[in-house]
Amino acid sequence: MSVELDVFVGNTTIMDEEVYQLWLDGYTVNDAVSIRMKSGILEQFGTTEDVLESDTMDHYRTFQMTERLLHHPSKLVNQVLFQIPPHRQAMLIERYYAFDEAFVREVLGKKLSKGTKKDLDDVSAKTGITLKSCRRQFDNFKRVFKVVEEMKGPLVENVQCNFLLSDKLARDYAAIVFFANSRFETGKKKLQYLTFEDFAFCACQLIQNWTVGAVDNMVEDMDVDLDKEFLQDLKDLKILITDKDMLDQHKSLVCTGLRGKIQVFNEMEGNFKNLSRGLINIAAKLTNTKDVRDFFIDLVEKVIEPCKADRWLISDVRAFLTQYTNSARALDGFKHQAVWERYMCVIKSCILKMYHD
């Protein structure tokens, strides 16, 4: 019995983007075939389920063979085994290192260790993301962390150069590396309203202003570790709350500047000293590792929650923080302007990002 076959020979590696996404999402071949069938692909191409299964298996084999190259993206770009056009290479890398918001919120700030990896079963059950996908994303975080944590130079650039990611994704990974290094607490109940994007924005502010790299861009760990000398200098800001005359003068200047400009003036005036103590005590405690980890909890408990309780609008918060920062310049005997500005620029940006109306 004779059988007719149509044969096509080429050297460009065929990769279906939809099947690639199914593979990345951790679906088995059978699950992927079922999903593809539901999309109407059999009717669209006039083919059979057996052919579709064979096609899916062939794609999965190709993806599995390229995975070791994706662990080191420069190898994918320079290899000759798979003939993949540059724009397809970029797509493969970008999607491989992409991650789910729900997943990253569960592991953000945790140690990227075997212990955390053992908990991925629970993360998978909670988020609905397949365990295989959770493991891929976790391994990607850990791989990037290991490569860039000790490197000199800007963190975002190091991620981009070594993993060939887009600027946006490289910045997200820089935030993940930064949080994993300092072990910031992000999982407590009162922080659950915050998104990864909120934390990534704050990480960017901290990296640009509070790390060693903010003052010296050619030291090791420059964008990973907070500047210990700066954190020590923050203790000098306590004079703003321990010197009664300075505290009263600061309040007077802020109230003068905001009278008639915010709707919650009376509430602000009545709670000024508590808010000021909260802001300054956060600064003074950042020399302790535990207090660094609780940085975001402290911002919520000592500033955001009190303001929300008094029904401050975000415009009120912005006006207060601006006036609060600027008024310190006019205080008699206050000699820590550089440290104050460096501290408050980050505090103001983070609070405004975290203050969800």
Side-chain angles (χ1 to χ4, degrees):
M1 184 178 81
S2 62
V3 178
E4 289 188 5
L5 292 174
D6 291 327
V7 178
F8 173 79
V9 178
N11 65 350
T12 300
T13 304
I14 305 298
M15 291 184 170
D16 186 295
E17 290 188 29
E18 292 183 6
V19 181
Y20 183 52
Q21 192 59 53
L22 292 170
W23 177 72
L24 290 175
D25 289 341
Y27 290 106
T28 64
V29 171
N30 288 339
D31 289 339
V33 169
S34 297
I35 292 170
R36 296 182 78 189
M37 285 176 63
K38 288 176 183 176
S39 71
I41 194 170
L42 297 185
E43 295 78 12
Q44 184 181 352
F45 291 97
T47 189
T48 65
E49 185 176 342
D50 288 343
V51 172
L52 183 65
E53 183 177 0
S54 177
D55 177 69
T56 305
M57 289 180 65
D58 187 47
H59 275 96
Y60 268 48
R61 278 193 293 268
T62 301
F63 299 144
Q64 286 159 3
M65 287 188 289
T66 58
E67 187 166 21
R68 61 182 178 81
L69 298 171
L70 286 164
H71 291 171
H72 310 279
S74 59
K75 291 185 178 180
L76 178 68
V77 172
N78 296 317
Q79 56 81 41
V80 294
L81 181 61
F82 300 99
Q83 298 299 308
I84 307 171
H87 73 279
R88 302 288 280 183
Q89 291 176 353
M91 180 276 294
L92 291 174
I93 295 167
E94 190 78 1
R95 287 203 187 181
Y96 188 80
Y97 283 90
F99 52 81
D100 293 292
E101 162 96 16
F103 175 77
V104 73
R105 273 300 277 115
E106 291 297 318
V107 300
L108 188 66
K110 292 183 179 178
K111 193 173 182 179
L112 300 175
S113 63
K114 290 181 180 178
T116 305
K117 192 170 183 177
K118 287 179 182 177
D119 296 333
L120 294 184
D121 290 40
D122 296 332
V123 174
S124 174
K126 182 177 179 179
T127 61
I129 299 165
T130 65
L131 181 58
K132 187 175 180 181
S133 181
C134 287
R135 285 174 175 162
R136 172 183 61 81
Q137 294 178 58
F138 180 84
D139 288 342
N140 286 344
F141 295 166
K142 188 173 181 178
R143 186 180 309 112
V144 173
F145 181 85
K146 281 190 169 183
V147 169
V148 304
E149 66 169 324
E150 301 290 345
M151 293 183 73
K152 294 181 180 180
L155 183 54
V156 175
E157 288 182 22
N158 288 339
V159 173
Q160 274 187 305
C161 291
N162 284 276
F163 292 92
L164 310 181
L165 305 179
S166 65
D167 182 70
K168 171 68 168 67
L169 193 54
R171 290 183 184 281
D172 286 345
Y173 267 90
I176 291 165
V177 169
F178 182 71
F179 269 71
N181 184 68
S182 294
R183 305 280 301 282
F184 288 106
E185 175 60 63
T186 66
K188 290 288 172 62
K189 187 175 181 180
K190 60 181 56 186
L191 297 178
Q192 288 304 304
Y193 78 96
L194 295 169
T195 66
F196 170 72
E197 199 271 329
D198 293 330
F199 284 119
F201 173 86
C202 294
C204 182
Q205 297 300 309
L206 289 159
I207 289 169
Q208 290 177 355
N209 295 284
W210 286 8
T211 59
V212 180
V215 290
D216 184 352
N217 63 7
M218 281 312 293
V219 294
E220 291 186 5
D221 305 342
M222 56 164 284
D223 280 354
V224 178
D225 291 333
L226 294 173
D227 183 352
K228 288 183 173 60
E229 187 176 334
F230 166 67
L231 298 183
Q232 197 67 39
D233 290 342
L234 287 175
K235 289 186 174 182
D236 294 334
L237 301 182
K238 286 207 77 171
I239 193 173
L240 288 170
I241 56 173
T242 56
D243 185 315
K244 186 178 183 304
D245 291 339
M246 194 172 289
L247 177 59
D248 290 340
Q249 187 186 2
H250 196 185
K251 177 180 177 180
S252 177
L253 289 169
V254 172
C255 290
T256 300
L258 291 180
R259 185 170 277 106
K261 296 180 180 177
I262 60 174
Q263 296 181 11
V264 290
F265 179 83
N266 291 335
E267 291 83 352
M268 181 278 298
E269 186 177 32
N271 205 28
F272 176 88
K273 292 184 179 180
N274 286 332
L275 289 173
S276 189
R277 288 190 185 100
L279 288 165
I280 303 304
N281 283 329
I282 290 172
K285 295 195 302 180
L286 286 175
T287 50
N288 300 319
T289 302
K290 182 186 182 303
D291 290 308
V292 170
R293 291 178 182 175
D294 289 343
F295 175 68
F296 294 100
I297 294 175
D298 288 340
L299 286 181
V300 169
E301 289 182 344
K302 296 178 180 179
V303 183
I304 293 173
E305 285 183 344
C307 290
K308 282 188 173 293
D310 284 338
R311 300 181 181 277
W312 290 40
L313 300 176
I314 193 167
S315 57
D316 298 325
V317 179
R318 181 180 289 106
F320 169 74
L321 290 172
T322 301
Q323 190 65 38
Y324 180 76
T325 303
N326 295 344
S327 295
R329 297 172 188 155
L331 293 174
D332 298 332
F334 184 61
K335 301 175 182 178
H336 310 288
Q337 296 295 345
V339 174
W340 174 247
E341 299 286 346
R342 188 178 174 187
Y343 173 67
M344 283 305 299
C345 74
V346 171
I347 291 296
K348 177 182 175 181
S349 296
C350 289
I351 289 174
L352 292 176
K353 186 67 176 178
M354 294 165 64
Y355 200 90
H356 294 194
D357 279 338

